[in-house]
Amino acid sequence: MTTRDAILDDLAARGLLHDATDLDALRARLAEGPITVYCGFDPTADSLHVGNLVGLLTLRRFQDHGHRPLVLAGGATGMIGDPGGRSEERNLLDDAALARNLEGIVPQLRQFLDFGDGPTGARLVDNRSWTVALSAIEFLRDVGKHVTVNHMLAKESVRSRLEGEAGISYTEFSYMLLQANDFLALHELEGCEMQVGGSDQWGNITLGIDLVRRRSGHAVHGLTWPLLTTADGTKIGKSSAGGQIWLGAHRMSPYQFFQAWMATDDADVRTFLLRLTLHRPDEIDEIVTAHERAPERREAQRALASSLTALVHGSEAAAHALEASEVLFGGHDPRAVGARAWAMVAAEVPSTTVGRDRLLGGIDLVELAAEIGLARSKGEARQLLGQRGISVNGDPATPDRRVGHDDLVHDRFVLLRRGKRTYHLVIAAA
């Protein structure tokens, strides 16, 4: 086994092998030398989502094992949308919407790979460059001629739509031909010999493999991974009931992204660590084993959230998100947490600005809690304080408590909490 074909063992250890062309032939080809492998990402939104992260990290894993990744931005296919995994027709995107979406996702496509000039340097390509100039007659002659309708109807993505109430339009029916043509174009232009994708892409990938064989006589390869789901089978992705976990900070703040992974169920945390981080499988085993000794500490979730947030938003944002989490959920002295983390807190919880002159004299906490809506009335505030149900910067308060200048953290913030989960940030006026 060489470093280059060890990628297959790594993917298998991570549970990322679902379907593949002849694995013996693929392993032999990988051992011969670097292979060019591509994965496509359609700009159907202005941000990628966590389902796309599996593809980007798979390309990264291939690159780390000495292979050359191609990242395909679907400027053409994104105008139509893949029917796979959907029960109804997508809304077609116009050029302006597509351009906005591409502007959002291209920086995300670039951040996970090395785009250097070396033999394994990644390249970003857009299928509009070879699709837009293609006439309908040329497409039917050079692509459609080599694919039977029987073959297309046998694909799960098409069959499930035909059996549903909405059916499938000719436009979406043709999507797999466009994707097959992408493989052919990349094979001819870039020497690409392999396509990877989620398991819902297997039909499209095999169609492309067959088209390359028919047009060029060359054998190429395909590989898919299982779709990202929770232990109960709920799909995690952009449009699923499993929740929208976006990679773009304009869609989901680094703190919210961090918290989404902190909420991971124990049954899912090992799978997510394997498939969504760059930790080695043996390192993940150690993390999970330590977690199982004290699951209430959620160390595995913390490792998952920190690793993923660092990958997507940078190590600094991950550190601040962890500190902000500790401010809100305990475990950290609020005064030891940096101002950037407090700024994150300010963006995530309700806040009220209070004049510094009032804080200098001290504000009765009963009055303040009612004023900012932490309690419905002074009477309720007094009752909560009598039960030690309100805290100031993490310390339970009494009915005679006043909030003053000495409570300000970084000379600006005071965090009030009612019960375990209701927060309000008091911010001193500049």
Side-chain angles (χ1 to χ4, degrees):
M1 183 175 68
T2 67
T3 300
R4 291 192 178 96
D5 65 302
I7 177 64
L8 295 180
D9 300 293
D10 182 61
L11 293 176
R14 295 177 184 277
L16 288 172
L17 277 183
H18 189 272
D19 293 302
T21 48
D22 187 333
L23 277 174
D24 290 335
L26 177 56
R27 185 180 291 278
R29 172 60 191 89
L30 293 171
E32 286 177 7
I35 194 172
T36 299
V37 54
Y38 100 90
C39 187
F41 303 88
D42 281 346
T44 51
D46 63 358
S47 172
L48 299 176
H49 55 88
V50 69
N52 299 129
L53 188 57
V54 181
L56 288 166
L57 290 181
T58 298
L59 289 180
R60 168 72 173 271
R61 299 186 210 283
F62 270 92
Q63 188 173 49
D64 289 345
H65 280 82
H67 302 288
R68 177 176 177 250
L70 298 177
V71 187
L72 184 143
T77 45
M79 299 181 77
I80 296 173
D82 186 356
R86 297 182 65 87
S87 59
E88 58 187 23
E89 190 88 0
R90 291 178 186 269
N91 294 323
L92 299 184
L93 299 176
D94 58 28
D95 282 341
L98 194 68
R100 285 194 302 271
N101 290 350
L102 281 169
E103 185 178 357
I105 74 165
V106 164
Q108 296 171 351
L109 292 173
R110 287 188 172 277
Q111 76 183 78
F112 298 97
L113 298 162
D114 177 6
F115 282 82
D117 296 327
T120 64
R123 270 184 37 79
L124 178 65
V125 294
D126 186 342
N127 57 16
R128 287 193 71 159
S129 64
W130 57 79
T131 303
V132 169
L134 192 63
S135 72
I137 295 298
E138 289 174 314
F139 184 71
L140 292 172
R141 181 193 64 201
D142 297 336
V143 179
K145 175 67 176 175
H146 298 281
V147 182
T148 68
V149 171
N150 295 29
H151 193 182
M152 296 173 71
L153 289 174
K155 303 301 181 185
E156 174 60 30
S157 60
V158 172
R159 190 168 63 249
S160 62
R161 286 287 292 276
L162 287 173
E163 294 170 353
E165 294 183 4
I168 186 170
S169 71
Y170 180 76
T171 299
E172 284 199 346
F173 183 60
S174 301
Y175 181 95
M176 64 175 66
L177 295 179
L178 291 172
Q179 185 169 325
N181 188 54
D182 288 343
F183 202 167
L184 176 64
L186 290 175
H187 180 67
E188 294 175 343
L189 296 170
E190 300 284 349
C192 182
E193 298 179 61
M194 187 174 185
Q195 182 182 174
V196 296
S199 57
D200 59 345
Q201 293 296 305
W202 182 241
N204 295 347
I205 291 173
T206 55
L207 199 70
I209 291 170
D210 192 55
L211 180 63
V212 172
R213 180 184 60 79
R214 289 175 180 273
R215 286 284 302 272
S216 71
H218 295 157
V220 291
H221 306 275
L223 180 150
T224 66
W225 50 81
L227 297 180
L228 191 65
T229 63
T230 60
D232 65 5
T234 302
K235 181 181 175 183
I236 299 177
K238 176 180 58 182
S239 56
S240 68
Q244 300 178 346
I245 303 181
W246 298 96
L247 305 191
H250 64 292
R251 287 268 193 163
M252 191 175 202
S253 73
Y255 174 81
Q256 292 167 344
F257 186 84
F258 183 95
Q259 287 302 320
W261 300 110
M262 281 298 296
T264 300
D265 191 273
D266 284 351
D268 299 314
V269 70
R270 186 176 188 275
T271 296
F272 292 171
L273 280 165
L274 285 167
R275 298 184 186 181
L276 295 171
T277 76
L278 297 175
H279 290 299
R280 298 191 314 269
D282 61 312
E283 293 175 332
I284 291 168
D285 287 340
E286 292 177 5
I287 291 169
V288 173
T289 298
H291 170 81
E292 289 171 345
R293 287 196 291 265
E296 71 280 359
R297 298 176 60 185
R298 303 186 72 75
E299 291 298 333
Q301 283 86 349
R302 187 171 284 103
L304 175 67
S306 295
S307 297
L308 272 171
T309 308
L311 269 173
V312 174
H313 297 290
S315 56
E316 189 175 343
H320 295 321
L322 175 59
E323 288 186 329
S325 178
E326 297 290 357
V327 166
L328 292 176
F329 302 116
H332 240 69
D333 176 0
R335 295 183 182 277
V337 173
R340 287 281 299 278
W342 275 93
M344 256 187 201
V345 172
E348 302 299 333
V349 304
S351 62
T352 298
T353 300
V354 174
R356 283 184 178 275
D357 53 344
R358 290 185 66 195
L359 287 167
L360 286 173
I363 308 173
D364 178 64
L365 184 52
V366 169
E367 178 184 338
L368 181 60
E371 178 183 326
I372 65 178
L374 196 63
R376 286 172 292 186
S377 65
K378 291 182 181 180
E380 184 184 51
R382 196 171 290 108
Q383 181 181 9
L384 286 167
L385 285 164
Q387 299 167 347
R388 308 302 287 273
I390 295 178
S391 66
V392 178
N393 291 336
D395 296 326
T398 56
D400 59 350
R401 181 71 153 83
R402 298 182 72 80
V403 176
H405 189 270
D406 290 344
D407 293 307
L408 293 177
V409 180
H410 297 293
D411 198 36
R412 192 177 179 202
F413 305 109
V414 181
L415 183 66
L416 304 182
R417 186 182 75 219
R418 171 180 173 168
K420 291 185 177 181
R421 299 289 178 182
T422 304
Y423 298 91
H424 200 102
L425 193 65
V426 175
I427 304 176

